[in-house]
Structure formats: C-alpha cells, structure tokens
Amino acid sequence: MNATPLAIRCRDIVKTYDTGGQVVTALNGVNLDINMGELMMLVGPSGCGKTTLISIIAGILDQTSGDCELFGENLLTLRSKDKLRFRAENIGFVFQAYNLLPALNAAENVSVPLIINGVKRGEAERRAAQMLEKVGLGERTMSLPAQLSGGQQQRVAIARALIHSPRLIVCDEPTSALDHESGQNVMNLLKAVALDQQRVLVIVTHDARIFNFADRIAEMDDGHIVNVAHSAAELK
Amino acid sequence: MNHIALKMLMGDKGKYLGIVMGLTFASLIMTQQPAIFIGLMARSYSFISDVGLPDIWVMDPKVQFIDDIKPMQETELYRVRGITGVEWAMPLYKGLLKARLTDGAFQTCNVVGLDDTTLIGGPAVMLEGKLSDLRRSDAVIIDIDGASEKLAKPAATPDGKKTPLKVGDSLELNDRRAIVVGLAKVTRTFQSQPVIYTTYSRAKSYAPVERKMLSFVLVKAKPGQDKAELVKRIVAITGLEAYTQDDFKKLTYSYFLKNTGIPINFGITIALGFIVGTAIAGQTFYNFTLENLRQFGVLKAMGASNSTLLRMILLQAVVVGSIGYGLGVGIAALFGFLMRHSILAFKMPWQLLVFSGGGVGLICVMVALISIMKVIRLEPAIVFKS
C-alpha cells in the first residue's frame, strides 16, 4: 500500500485546439497520478502533448474536458483571482529558454515570485540573494542574464522557481540548451535543492541523459500516456 | 512590480529613448505651434491691451475689430460724456497713414491721436522722452521697434546697418513735418507696422480731411458703476456700439479666427504633430510591448494578474509620457525664450500647457490601451513555446 499523498491527479484530460476551423486534439484522455516527493518526467516525440499536459497541470491552460486536481484543488473550478493566487503560491517554473527578465539582475529576477506574492522588494531581494547562494551563484547576484552562461542562467531560473517554496515545480526542457556537464549539474541541483517530501517535480524533456534522475517516466505519444516506467530501461 | 516595470522600460535604452523622443516631438509641436498661434492672436488685440486705462470702448456699430476703423462724428464724444455712470470719455484717433522717410521711401504707419489735454491712451512704457512732450510743436512718439526697423534711416553703405530713428529726428506725415520727441515700448501689433503717437488734433491734421474723424471714444466708468450695465446704456442712448476692454479683445481675435486662414494652418500643423507623435510613440511603445510579451507571459504564469500587468504598462506609459511632455514643453519654452527679442509671436499661457499635456496624455492612454489589450489576451502558456 502506497502511503505517499497524491499531489497531482489527472483523469480523462482532453485538450483540443481550434486552428482556423480545424480541430486539433493535443491530449486525448490522459490519466496520470503523481505523488508528493516524486520527480516525474514526461517524455515523448515533439507534438505528443507533453507541454500541453504540464500547462494544464500548472493551471496556465484550461483543458477541454476531464479533471485535473493539484494538491486536491481542481484549478478549472477556481475563480480566476483564486487560480492566480494558487499559482503564485504553489507553482514554480523552469523554462527551456530560462525566460529571465533581461533588464533585471540575478537577485531581482529571483525575487519576482516573492514580489508577486506581496513580499516587499528589499526583503524579497535579500531572500533572493540567499537562494542564489544555495544554487552556487552567491557572487553573481548583481549580474544581468546576458552576463551569465547558459548553465548559470538556468541556475538563476531554478532559484526563481524555488524562492517562494512552491509545492510543484514544473520544468520544461531544463537541460536541452545546456552541455552534458551543465545539464547534469542542473539536475543534481534540482534533485538536491528542489525535491523533498513536501514537493513534486514534473519535468518535460527530450534529454535521455537525465532520465536516470527520474522516479518515474511517463512516455507520451499522440496525446496519450502510453507507458509509465520507473527507469529509462523500461521505456518502449 | 513598479520597479520591475521601470526596469523593463529602461532596460533597452534605444527603444526607451525612441518612445521618449516620439512623445517629446509630439509635445513640442503641440506646445510650440499653438504658442506661436496664441502669440499671433494676442497681437491682434495688443493695441487694446496697451491702451489699458479705459473700461469701455465706444465705436461705430459696423466695426468688426480694432483695425477696422469706421470714423464717427466728434459730436458722439459729447453724447457719451453726458451719459450717467461715465467718469470720463476721451477721443482716440487711429488710422493708417504713410510716413515719408529721409531717403524718400514711404512706410505705412499706425498713427494714434490721443486726447490733447489728458493724453489718455498713450504708451505705458517710455524709453526716451516723456509722454507730455507730445504737447510740443509737431511732436510725435514712435515705438522702438518701428524706429529701429521700418522707420530706420538707410545705411550709408549697401552692407551697412540702418540707423534707428532717434529723438530729434524728423519725418513727414502727409507732407507735414513730425518731430520725434520720444521712443516708447509697445506690444507688437498683428501687422507689425510702426506706431506713431501724437495728439488728437495733430493726428487729424496729418490725416486726409474727412467729415468724420473720431475712431473711438474711450470711456472710464464711475467707481461702483457696473460696466456691462454702462455698455448697455451707451448703446441704447447713442446707437453706437460699446464693448468692455475684454469683450473688444474677444471681438477682435474672433474676427481673425473666423476670417483668416491662420487657425486652420496652425491647426493642421498641430494635428500633424499629434498624428506623427502618436505614430512614432505608439508604434515604438507597441513594439516594445510586443517584444516583452514573453516576459509578461512569464509574469502571468507566475501568478501576476491582468490588473498588475495593466498597472505596469500604465506606469511605463505615464513615465515616458511625463518625460516626453516635460522635454517637449521645455524645448518649446527655451525656443520662446531664445526668440523673445525677435519678431516672432510666442505666448505660452498655462492653459496651453494643459492642452499639450492633455494631448500627450491622450497619446499615452491610446498607446497603453492597445498594448494592454494585447497583454490581457496573452495566454501564459506562451512561456513554454521555445
């Protein structure tokens, strides 16, 4: 019997897009459970629906039908304001292209989620500097994104995703723009700093070099989850 | 989030300056051109302003503006003097006469004839000589600009400078000698002709003989007398037209507004400034928002509300608008200051600053609205697109 509490529960998720009269089905009845403290990877070919699924899980895209509960909350039924607050408090994002604000320095970038959550700027930047220390960038708090390497920028992005202690961290291709060593470092960092029993990580990736970091790997194809494996060796 | 909005705005210096320059240009055009227009319009009634003492101007009913002289019989002066509530009433001659200069050239001048006894209506600022010197034989007082420019003596050499007319010099008005006894500072008139002050009786002798010579009757109301009431009384009793000083100014500039192409010419320039300013600032600001859409998407994904983003964009628009407006108005004011001694008409009342501020504000609101609509429609899922 599995006593680990359920973090994410997706049932019969369908998502269709209307592209100028033509209906495209991105997700076609996806079922997925993810436990607290788990690092789940979503893998599969381009266009299989991975990004659509994490967008729905993270509450930044509404499904066409089906239920998706995040920490027991059905985001689809929340009022827009409550959904925003839920997202601001509970979700951290790490993007493939880092998506740091180019005009802000590292500490300011990391402080953004705290500021959105109403923390005063000075306090937010102080805590951001501490978080940057944790990810090994204590000396680069004043650096602009353009002055940092790809790996450093991704570490800033991870610090930003963690600063407000969210319960879900969603990562979209966090290592695909990095070399092997930087990619491994980023994953080590994510696993060491981000993952604990109060948190869940969902990572969308094509990068087979990092599959071994996953607790489980959900393999997707054509809008379905076709296989859930516990290691890369079990993938189809 | 204000700090983030400002950093986003000023992060790209080139684009930031582009937006500010666009708004500066719009603000400059919307301030400088109307300032010239207002200055020009103010010149249309500058003579009324300069003759500051009377409360009421009485004239022929057909008069449409200050330079539209329809002479009256001198008996009208005595009729006005007899009206209850009139403290005093003085005659004023105003007419265009040709002055013959020392080199034989002719120059049309605005000749003003003042009441021989009181000299009411004379220039307020005497630079040389005294107003009372007009009582001397053949005496005239000339405005300093006219004396230095149009009435100046020709240069001795082709490249030389003209010699300004000075006290003691003479000129001819309608074949009669006039001796300069003083120089006065008067506000430039719309036609910018030299102004020659003399006494009423001497002005009549300079002017071609006509049955009617009285241009205006200048009236001072008795203390406590309601001016509007007195105007009505004068009109009712004499059958002439009468205006308070302010109403006569309004009548004059209204005439120029309605009957000249000046307003439409300036209006087109101002409208073009507004359109070009809107286009430059609008396009640059909109492009700036478009290029930052992903950043706004990131903030949206992280939980920033539409109202927060709206405030950020409005703040950005207010900042660039304020800076652009300040620079534009500042440049316009500097332009006016540098040109203060030239012939250029330039007047920048506070109402104009409100007008141009409103124009720049309107541009910013329009530009911000377009950008805000784009951001509000933005799907935060855009952040996952590489």
Side-chain angles (χ1 to χ4, degrees):
Chain A
M1 185 178 152
N2 187 358
T4 313
L6 201 59
I8 298 164
R9 179 178 174 277
C10 294
R11 288 290 175 273
D12 303 321
I13 301 290
V14 174
K15 178 65 185 176
T16 57
Y17 294 101
D18 190 348
T19 54
Q22 192 184 355
V23 176
V24 175
T25 303
L27 295 177
N28 195 0
V30 169
N31 292 293
L32 182 67
D33 289 343
I34 306 176
N35 298 316
M36 291 299 288
E38 190 173 25
L39 194 161
M40 170 67 83
M41 282 189 188
L42 299 177
V43 302
S46 295
C48 69
K50 306 184 294 288
T51 301
T52 303
L53 181 57
I54 57 160
S55 298
I56 290 170
I57 289 171
I60 57 175
L61 191 66
D62 292 338
Q63 65 268 36
T64 310
S65 66
D67 290 323
C68 184
E69 287 180 4
L70 182 59
F71 310 118
E73 287 280 0
N74 185 346
L75 297 189
L76 199 60
T77 60
L78 285 182
R79 287 184 311 164
S80 171
K81 200 176 168 184
D82 296 332
K83 196 180 193 175
L84 277 175
R85 192 165 58 234
F86 185 88
R87 216 158 64 206
E89 289 172 356
N90 292 294
I91 304 172
F93 293 90
V94 178
F95 307 101
Q96 178 183 3
Y98 324 128
N99 283 342
L100 300 175
L101 305 186
L104 306 188
N105 64 35
E108 288 168 335
N109 261 296
V110 174
S111 69
V112 169
L114 289 177
I115 291 170
I116 289 173
N117 279 297
V119 178
K120 295 271 182 236
R121 191 175 134 211
E123 169 65 10
E125 287 183 15
R126 190 186 60 76
R127 282 161 62 180
Q130 287 173 350
M131 183 55 77
L132 283 168
E133 194 81 47
K134 271 191 191 172
V135 299
L137 289 173
E139 303 296 314
R140 307 304 299 269
T141 54
M142 301 305 285
S143 300
L144 292 172
Q147 296 165 326
L148 299 171
S149 69
Q152 287 173 325
Q153 286 189 56
Q154 198 58 298
R155 278 194 276 161
V156 174
I158 290 168
R160 181 177 66 181
L162 294 172
I163 185 77
H164 55 306
S165 306
R167 288 190 285 169
L168 167 66
I169 297 177
V170 174
C171 308
D172 181 38
E173 304 279 5
T175 59
S176 64
L178 304 175
D179 59 42
H180 177 72
E181 191 185 342
S182 300
Q184 294 293 312
N185 289 341
V186 161
M187 284 311 299
N188 279 322
L189 183 69
L190 270 174
K191 196 131 195 190
V193 182
L195 199 58
D196 62 36
Q197 286 306 307
Q198 302 305 313
R199 199 172 269 157
V200 59
L201 255 76
V202 180
I203 298 176
V204 165
T205 187
H206 277 104
D207 189 353
R209 299 170 301 180
I210 63 166
F211 285 176
N212 57 322
F213 286 93
D215 294 319
R216 285 193 298 156
I217 304 170
E219 199 175 0
M220 294 187 70
D221 194 15
D222 201 19
H224 298 274
I225 291 180
V226 293
N227 180 31
V228 178
H230 284 86
S231 69
E234 291 177 24
L235 291 176
K236 286 180 181 173
Chain B
M1 298 300 279
N2 292 349
H3 169 70
I4 296 171
L6 294 179
K7 280 235 166 180
M8 282 171 76
L9 175 67
M10 295 170 191
D12 188 333
K13 298 270 185 298
K15 289 197 183 70
Y16 169 61
L17 287 177
I19 302 167
V20 169
M21 290 314 292
L23 288 166
T24 301
F25 174 77
S27 168
L28 173 64
I29 295 289
M30 282 190 287
T31 309
Q32 187 239 24
Q33 288 296 309
I36 294 174
F37 172 70
I38 292 169
L40 211 52
M41 284 296 105
R43 281 186 182 178
S44 68
Y45 58 77
S46 63
F47 181 74
I48 305 171
S49 302
D50 280 0
V51 182
L53 212 50
D55 297 321
I56 294 165
W57 290 62
V58 182
M59 64 206 76
D60 184 275
K62 297 290 181 193
V63 169
Q64 300 178 81
F65 60 104
I66 182 67
D67 295 316
D68 180 31
I69 306 296
K70 304 278 194 303
M72 304 172 284
Q73 286 187 359
E74 288 182 6
T75 50
E76 302 292 3
L77 172 66
Y78 305 109
R79 294 182 68 200
V80 173
R81 279 180 175 161
I83 293 171
T84 310
V86 172
E87 175 84 4
W88 50 252
M90 300 297 165
L92 185 85
Y93 172 86
K94 187 173 186 297
L96 293 174
L97 298 178
K98 281 185 181 152
R100 187 162 183 260
L101 311 181
T102 50
D103 64 344
F106 286 93
Q107 170 64 49
T108 304
C109 299
N110 218 332
V111 175
V112 180
L114 313 174
D115 175 60
D116 291 37
T117 314
T118 62
L119 300 177
I120 280 174
V125 183
M126 290 296 298
L127 301 174
E128 274 188 60
K130 299 190 297 292
L131 188 57
S132 56
D133 291 340
L134 278 184
R135 296 198 179 97
R136 285 156 54 182
S137 175
D138 298 331
V140 293
I141 292 172
I142 297 179
D143 81 285
I144 187 72
D145 295 322
S148 312
E149 295 162 15
K150 292 181 176 169
L151 295 177
K153 294 176 198 166
T157 58
D159 297 332
K161 279 186 176 178
K162 285 180 168 182
T163 310
L165 213 58
K166 58 180 189 304
V167 173
D169 288 341
S170 63
L171 45 88
E172 279 181 29
L173 285 166
N174 204 13
D175 291 336
R176 285 179 57 86
R177 195 170 73 131
I179 298 171
V180 180
V181 295
L183 296 172
K185 180 72 192 165
V186 301
T187 313
R188 277 184 190 271
T189 60
F190 193 78
Q191 290 89 351
S192 288
Q193 282 149 342
V195 183
I196 297 177
Y197 289 93
T198 188
T199 58
Y200 182 76
S201 55
R202 200 172 299 126
K204 282 197 298 180
S205 70
Y206 289 143
V209 178
E210 288 181 62
R211 193 169 62 90
K212 298 175 178 177
M213 298 293 277
L214 179 64
S215 307
F216 298 100
V217 177
L218 308 180
V219 172
K220 185 77 178 173
K222 279 188 172 163
Q225 169 65 52
D226 181 70
K227 287 168 196 150
E229 192 61 40
L230 183 56
V231 163
K232 282 183 192 165
R233 204 176 300 145
I234 293 169
V235 171
I237 293 173
T238 62
L240 299 170
E241 190 55 270
Y243 297 102
T244 61
Q245 193 176 48
D246 285 343
D247 286 346
F248 194 28
K249 285 180 186 175
K250 278 181 202 161
L251 179 81
T252 297
Y253 73 68
S254 298
Y255 175 85
F256 280 90
L257 281 178
K258 284 179 194 159
N259 296 287
T260 66
I262 297 167
I264 193 159
N265 288 330
F266 276 94
I268 288 168
T269 310
I270 296 161
L272 273 178
F274 182 82
I275 291 165
V276 173
T278 307
I280 296 172
Q283 196 180 18
T284 323
F285 194 84
Y286 184 62
N287 283 346
F288 165 78
T289 307
L290 281 188
E291 286 165 18
N292 285 319
L293 265 189
R294 178 174 279 269
Q295 296 180 35
F296 284 118
V298 170
L299 295 174
K300 237 178 169 176
M302 289 196 290
S305 63
N306 276 336
S307 62
T308 301
L309 301 181
L310 187 146
R311 281 199 301 274
M312 288 174 72
I313 292 172
L314 274 179
L315 174 68
Q316 291 171 337
V318 166
V319 167
V320 290
S322 303
I323 296 171
Y325 170 69
L327 284 174
V329 166
I331 295 169
L334 182 67
F335 171 83
F337 178 75
L338 294 175
M339 303 298 280
R340 68 192 184 284
H341 296 308
S342 73
I343 197 167
L344 185 87
F346 193 89
K347 200 168 185 179
M348 216 162 90
W350 65 267
Q351 292 92 337
L352 173 57
L353 301 184
V354 172
F355 166 78
S356 57
V360 172
L362 187 62
I363 292 176
C364 289
V365 167
M366 288 195 305
V367 164
L369 278 179
I370 296 167
S371 299
I372 284 164
M373 283 194 292
K374 191 80 186 170
V375 171
I376 284 175
R377 288 197 198 117
L378 177 71
E379 281 282 352
I382 185 181
V383 291
F384 285 130
K385 289 178 184 159
S386 51

